[in-house]
Amino acid sequence: MKTLRVFVPTPLPEELCELIERTEPRVEMVRDQALLPPQGHPGDHRGDESFTRTAEEQVRFEKLIDSADALYGVPDQSPSQLKRTVEANRRLLWVHTTPAGGGGQVRAAGLSQEQLERIAFTTSGGVHAQPLAEFAVFGVLAGMKDLARLQNDQRNRTWGERRTLSQMSSATVLVVGLGGIGRAVAGKLAALGARVIGAHRRQVDVPGVELILPMEELAQAVAGADAIVLCLPSTTATHRVVSRTVLESVKPGATLVNVGRGTTVDEPALVEALAEGRIGFAALDVFDTEPLPADSPLWEMPNVLVSPHAAAINDNEERLIAELFATNATRLLDGEPLRNRVNTVEFY
């Protein structure tokens, strides 16, 4: 290919469209900002949920989609729109999903094997690793330093008891899932002096990780950990892999942090473990159902920190995704393998 016609069907600031075109001049970024919802915050790829298009605008929107060689984002972040697009646009070669877990959007679209083979799907994996790793460290430290008790004492104007607190330098932390996020988490924890062990589906070389256990031994792995950080994608294999059995095996009082996907945890079993004190503290950025339902017990549990799936949001996110897209556009045009290609069997 000599040029690549890319349509932007998801909110993206104009300056980043121009950045991609400057970085890879063979790319034409086709966009119509009037057809896209306004962003509510930096990195908002869905936009204002109250936004609607007229029938005429929707026709124009879909015509632009169907004229593209590639898409920067799934249209309206909608799997059903992705399916319509793939069926209508035979020239489509590549779809870049803006979430790190964009494989879930591809899976939800229910595409045929021929369609999955014809089109390359990529994700923004790796872009969010550093901010999520910082949140993970924050969560581990919050548990070790008994943040919940300190906040409760402060609200009640209570000069609390002087108690011993756990130290990172004498703690064992289990990182479950050693992809890009898990690697970043492990590196930061090891730098703070923790003994870091991992659980992963295969043996990999990760700096700072002393030992890697297979996922089949997760129940044994959690038994020896002072803190557990979940960095798993949402796949068929990871669905509720942190099961009731696993949660019943944790070291009493352990801290749990989840910066992966909420579907990887048996949430009712987690609530029970928190209520019983088997999990001493949990810092959760993701949940089985999002937004977290108003009647979820997690909202009111004193030993839970609820984050609205926002730990990855930062001022650099959109620029880093745009730079990743430009790099992959060059690779596509030059016939080289794309980075972050979606595994269309397990969809991660």
Side-chain angles (χ1 to χ4, degrees):
M1 296 180 65
K2 293 183 179 180
T3 61
L4 188 70
R5 179 180 169 87
V6 178
F7 181 62
V8 184
T10 190
L12 182 68
E14 184 65 21
E15 60 267 24
L16 294 180
C17 294
E18 296 170 358
L19 170 66
I20 293 169
E21 290 177 326
R22 287 196 307 272
T23 304
E24 178 44 83
R26 294 173 291 177
V27 167
E28 177 192 8
M29 296 291 286
V30 180
R31 64 273 192 190
D32 185 340
Q33 299 291 355
L35 296 176
L36 301 176
Q39 291 182 298
H41 55 77
D44 180 9
H45 304 293
R46 187 177 299 276
D48 185 351
E49 293 187 2
S50 66
F51 175 83
T52 59
R53 302 183 188 92
T54 66
E56 293 79 7
E57 288 173 335
Q58 186 65 28
V59 168
R60 189 162 82 249
F61 182 65
E62 292 180 3
K63 281 185 176 179
L64 287 169
I65 292 172
D66 297 344
S67 71
D69 303 310
L71 298 178
Y72 186 102
V74 169
D76 295 333
Q77 303 297 318
S78 165
S80 62
Q81 276 285 340
L82 176 59
K83 184 175 181 63
R84 186 216 65 80
T85 298
V86 170
E87 291 176 347
N89 184 358
R90 294 292 302 182
R91 68 184 284 178
L92 189 64
L93 299 172
W94 171 36
V95 176
H96 180 75
T97 66
T98 48
Q105 293 179 325
V106 181
R107 177 179 55 201
L111 304 178
S112 70
Q113 190 60 38
E114 181 275 329
Q115 291 167 337
L116 292 172
E117 292 173 357
R118 172 165 55 90
I119 299 168
F121 297 94
T122 58
T123 76
S124 298
V127 166
H128 310 91
Q130 293 304 320
L132 287 176
E134 289 186 7
F135 182 88
V137 171
F138 160 68
V140 171
L141 284 171
M144 289 186 175
K145 303 307 177 185
D146 210 355
L147 176 63
R149 179 178 65 85
L150 293 173
Q151 288 184 313
N152 185 64
D153 285 348
Q154 182 176 343
R155 281 191 295 268
N156 294 324
R157 299 175 182 268
T158 299
W159 190 260
E161 297 178 19
R162 299 186 67 191
R163 303 179 184 177
T164 59
L165 298 173
S166 300
Q167 289 183 262
M168 186 76 81
S169 56
S170 59
T172 296
V173 183
L174 171 67
V175 179
V176 185
L178 293 170
I181 296 169
R183 288 169 180 265
V185 170
K188 291 185 186 301
L189 291 170
L192 289 172
R195 173 180 179 255
V196 182
I197 61 176
H200 198 61
R201 58 194 176 89
R202 66 178 187 276
Q203 287 296 314
V204 289
D205 183 19
V206 181
V209 177
E210 179 180 308
L211 171 70
I212 297 176
L213 298 170
M215 292 297 294
E216 293 77 15
E217 296 180 16
L218 188 55
Q220 297 94 305
V222 299
D226 300 291
I228 304 152
V229 181
L230 306 177
C231 307
L232 294 168
S234 177
T235 69
T236 302
T238 64
H239 184 72
R240 293 199 170 187
V241 69
V242 184
S243 63
R244 181 176 297 276
T245 298
V246 169
L247 291 168
E248 288 174 348
S249 302
V250 297
K251 185 176 181 179
T255 294
L256 180 84
V257 181
N258 194 353
V259 291
R261 286 294 182 268
T263 56
T264 63
V265 180
D266 183 335
E267 202 164 277
L270 174 60
V271 169
E272 291 180 18
L274 285 159
E276 295 169 5
R278 280 184 285 117
I279 299 290
F281 179 80
L284 307 173
D285 186 50
V286 290
F287 303 88
D288 195 16
T289 300
E290 296 181 0
L292 183 64
D295 61 354
S296 170
L298 292 169
W299 284 112
E300 296 184 348
M301 301 190 85
N303 54 345
V304 175
L305 176 67
V306 172
S307 171
H309 204 150
I313 296 174
N314 67 92
D315 291 337
N316 296 319
E317 177 187 8
E318 286 187 300
R319 176 182 57 79
L320 292 172
I321 294 174
E323 290 173 349
L324 172 61
F325 181 85
T327 297
N328 261 345
T330 298
R331 286 174 170 267
L332 183 68
L333 287 162
D334 292 344
E336 297 178 0
L338 299 180
R339 291 175 55 190
N340 291 357
R341 186 85 180 251
V342 172
N343 178 318
T344 55
V345 174
E346 297 184 37
F347 294 99
Y348 67 89

